[in-house]
Amino acid sequence: MKINKPLLSISIRVYVFIGLIVVLLSLWYLALPQPLFKAPLSTVVWSKENKLLGARVAQDGQWRFPASNRVPEKFKQSILYFEDEYFKYHPGFNPISMVKAFWHNLNHDSKRGGSTLTQQVIRLSRQNQSRTYTEKLIELFLATRIEVEFSKDDILNFYASYAPFGGNVVGLETAAWRYFNRPAKDLSWSQSAALAVLPNAPSLVFPGKNENILKAKRNRLLKKLVENKVIDTNTYQLALLEDLPGKAYDLPNITPHLTEWLRQNHQESQVKTNIDFKLQQQVNTLVEQHLTLWKSNQVYNAAVIIADIKTGQVLAYTGNSTSSESPFYYVDMIKSPRSTGSLLKPILYASMLDDGELLPEQLVKDTPARFDNYVPQNFTKDFQGAVHADVFIQKSLNVPAVRLLKSYGIDRFINKLQKLGLNHIDKSADHYGLPLILGGAESSLWELTSMYTHLAKTLKNAEHNQNTTPFENLKLIASQNPQKTDENNLTNILSPASIYLSFEAMSGLERPGLDAGWKAFANSRKIAWKTGTSYGFKDAWSIGMNQDYLVGVWVGNADGNGRPNLLGVNAAAPLMFSVFENMPSTKTWFAKPMADMKTLEVCAQTGYIKSLNCPIAKSIDIPKTQLKLKPCPFHKIVNLNADKTYQVRSSCQDLPNKITSSWFVLPPIMAYYYKKNHPEYQDLPPLHPKCQSSNASQFALIYPKANQDIILPKTFDETVSEVIFKAAYDENKTLYWHIDDEFMGTTQYFHDMQFQPEAGEHILTLVNEDGQQLQRRFRLSYTETH
């Protein structure tokens, strides 16, 4: 078979041509970068009303806001009439404009561009390569490709988002804020026209330079707009009178600490938050006014957070002073862990109510206590003897709190706190010990307000028969989705009933200053609140909530410098109540969760489960839980003479009209302090003289002797021996030991007690179960031994 060589040659050339076309089309299709722009973006934070809260410069030092969804109409018309009137019709390039530009450049010294907006978008995406004819061909090639990939509106949006507007200002939205202090959608025709001409010559924007050139360019564009009936004559005349952009404005910085936190921790560059813009501004002002009062005491920092209880959304976030004159103003104190002070006491109270280990008004012991080497003290350095549990919350007493924590168990309590989101409390019970309840652990205002918001939300949900409320952190971001929970294993961390009783106790705190008489005002609102003060007066806390909102406050110095009188009730609570005054008013209170409660008869005087000896009982509502408490131990049936001045016994002779009565009797050490605050308390009457007393318990001090001088050796390393005191008493009974009115402990069975008092003169006091006292004075000194 004879091959037709000319035909074969033509076929080969056709295939080669087709192949080249396929290769070129493939290159054309694959040439467009994905994504088109890779430049780093500024972090931009918006309020829930879409108002700018703050922004941070991009990593390359440019102010470059993320691309918006659409270009405002005024700027769109301005840029099209200035740069590319045929943008809607060309396929990415304009042949007529290119020919005109080429002919102009051949015949004139000045250069004229013929690039369309599409080609300029390509040039911007290629980071403004040098303007050569080769680069022009590449831009043209890619411009046709981008026209296929994106709509005209998308291409225009690319231009508006990445065009240079002078200095380090990139993009229309950034330029609108920097030059006119407003969003791009609110720009006037004059302002839109001024910005439309800037990318063509961004150096014109600098104040004092080339202002006449910029003004002439803007005015020519405005004239073009009126000639094409885009704007009317009146608008044109008014636009000519408007000022040109001058010195760049500082971008809004309403939430500096939140903005910085989002920059460091959030993946998206543009963040819409739940912040209420007006409320945030009010809180910032209140914080600055409050710190002005405290600067005289060298207190410079404060933080406030507000949460919506129903949604868990953060409505205001003031992480610190917004004044750069305040030391350490840049530290976000909402996220910084600090000593919790007394803020955990209501959680312990609610936990013990929930587990049936405490009743709401049960008397708890408030007397001097020693736990190994740990000796807790109340803030007032005084003791109540016995105090109702809800009052211990209101007075924030330390010693009852420590005793209750010891009873409840540190491990159990830590586990509860961790479930409630206090993640900074992550060490063992041995590490924290009993001081945990008094501020011996650290947490942040963020964690603490999240915890209390969860409790309030649990109680609020109970009103709508929602049986469980999974723990969730507060929600800063508008699009934040609830965390996933295991629907098959949901239980409330604390029951609604225990939370309600805890909030009721917290609402009884006496408010500071002018708020003390809040109940007398018609617009009064009930608030459950708790303050805290850390050791050394370094941190002042106050957290409060009503049915709708929670306010958390911290006041102090970010460097940890403590100051006198820096107390939660003095420094933090007034600011918290000031914030509440700016919140929507509500008189409603949490509904009592009756479905989660049961009724119990208790002794009216002691708050314990009613015993047969209690003279007066009352009904209270408590959580539906199995109680682990004994009936009231403080009421005893005693036999008395007719006028109740003496106790009598069966052995008493010739005493008519004996009566039996219930008597409120506290243990001697509790009674000793209780009587100081309760003058109505009556000790048991003494035994009648006619009654036999040979079997009455007698006790005596064996050592030391009266006015004895005790000398103990002290070694070269300052170690001293302890002195051992001895007493004689019934081994089945308890003796209470005190030195100089300070309670040191109790003994039973063997009445020996070790002490290590300071050198000097002391008084040793013993009290037995019947309230009898025995005192002895002694002197103690040390001798050096080598």
Side-chain angles (χ1 to χ4, degrees), residues 136 179 194 248 268 271 293 351 420 435 452 461 506 519 547 599 618 624 669 698-699 747:
K136 284 287 185 182
Y179 297 135
E268 297 180 11
V271 186
L293 301 175
S351 298
L420 287 168
Y452 275 105
N461 287 345
M506 292 166 65
K519 293 181 181 178
Q547 193 184 29
T599 303
K618 68 176 183 179
K624 283 184 177 177
I669 184 64
Q698 301 295 321
F699 69 108
T747 56

Side-chain angles (χ1 to χ4, degrees), residues 379 533-540 556 560-567:
F379 180 77
T533 305
S534 67
Y535 179 78
F537 307 108
K538 298 178 181 179
D539 306 278
N561 181 31
R563 297 301 303 162
N565 208 36
L566 184 65
L567 308 174

Side-chain angles (χ1 to χ4, degrees), residues 627-647:
L627 291 176
K628 303 167 187 175
L629 297 166
K630 295 179 180 179
C632 174
F634 299 127
H635 280 94
K636 297 180 180 180
I637 299 298
V638 294
N639 296 315
L640 305 169
N641 62 349
D643 57 6
K644 298 184 179 182
T645 55
Y646 288 103
Q647 292 186 67

